[in-house]
Amino acid sequence: ALLTGDAKYACECAAQMTQWMVANPAGCGVNWACPMDVAIRAVNWLWVLGLMADLPVVTDAWLSETLASLVAHGRFLMGNLEVRDDGVTANHYLADIVGLLYLGLCLKEVGEAAQWQAFAVRELVREMDRQVLPDGAHYESSLSYHRLVTEMFLSSAVLCRRHGVALPLSFLARLAKMCEFVEGYT
């Protein structure tokens, strides 16, 4: 819609999101079984809202429905974080945190947003130290996971910068090492 000026694409996007919300009530069904999927969907939907914000298809009613669903996503994530019984975390937990970070920073009017943001920033920094080795490689020793985790950390760092949230220099230095690792394997 943005590239072509043709509203049919925005209408289709809004229709698919509406259909999804009707078919998948919060917390029910297979599309709520994996918190990582919930987090990724929340991030994608926030991007959609940002890209479509000025288009006529974004009515007050549709926006209210979508925001209510996004709040449900945040609440679900906070109650279903993917931490193993032994306390070990991996890329799924990182995705959960990134979802909460996006929700916390982009939905500031929501009562829980400040809590989501504070938790996510703290955990994001912690996970950089836990999941990324000093040389910049992801500890799961998989190029695919390294790429995914680098993308999540980069996206989060850009979002934090955009919203004036400072991340420690140690976080940014290790993120630079992750990018160097990507350059090396590419």
Side-chain angles (χ1 to χ4, degrees):
L2 293 173
L3 294 175
T4 66
D6 191 338
K8 74 180 180 184
Y9 299 109
C11 290
E12 179 63 23
C13 183
Q16 285 190 28
M17 288 172 67
T18 298
Q19 181 183 14
W20 188 94
M21 288 182 274
V22 169
N24 298 279
C28 299
V30 68
N31 290 307
W32 292 91
C34 177
M36 179 184 202
D37 293 345
V38 174
I40 291 170
R41 180 172 50 251
V43 170
N44 289 337
W45 283 15
L46 287 165
W47 271 101
V48 166
L49 290 180
L51 292 170
M52 291 180 23
D54 296 328
L55 300 178
V57 70
V58 179
T59 63
D60 288 344
W62 183 81
L63 184 59
S64 292
E65 181 181 334
T66 304
L67 291 174
S69 182
L70 285 167
V71 170
H73 281 63
R75 291 175 180 159
F76 179 87
L77 288 170
M78 279 304 295
N80 295 281
L81 295 167
E82 295 175 89
V83 179
R84 290 186 352 196
D85 291 340
D86 61 3
V88 173
T89 55
N91 63 76
H92 278 243
Y93 181 70
L94 180 61
D96 301 343
I97 291 166
V98 171
L100 287 167
L101 179 70
Y102 269 78
L103 289 162
L105 288 172
C106 296
L107 302 181
K108 292 182 195 259
E109 300 81 14
V110 172
E112 297 103 322
Q115 174 194 358
W116 296 341
Q117 175 189 336
F119 173 79
V121 170
R122 183 180 69 248
E123 290 299 300
L124 185 72
V125 171
R126 182 173 167 255
E127 289 306 303
M128 177 62 85
D129 289 338
R130 291 182 77 182
Q131 292 195 31
V132 182
L133 304 172
D135 66 358
H138 187 253
Y139 86 98
E140 290 185 78
S141 300
S142 160
L143 292 182
S144 296
Y145 284 153
H146 180 86
R147 184 216 39 86
L148 172 65
V149 169
T150 302
E151 180 180 304
M152 288 190 284
F153 278 125
L154 275 171
S155 173
S156 296
V158 169
L159 184 70
C160 283
R161 181 185 303 162
R162 180 91 170 134
H163 286 267
V165 175
L167 295 170
L169 291 177
S170 59
F171 176 95
L172 299 173
R174 193 152 305 182
L175 181 56
K177 290 262 189 206
M178 293 185 82
C179 293
E180 289 173 14
F181 189 78
V182 170
E183 182 181 27
Y185 73 67
T186 300

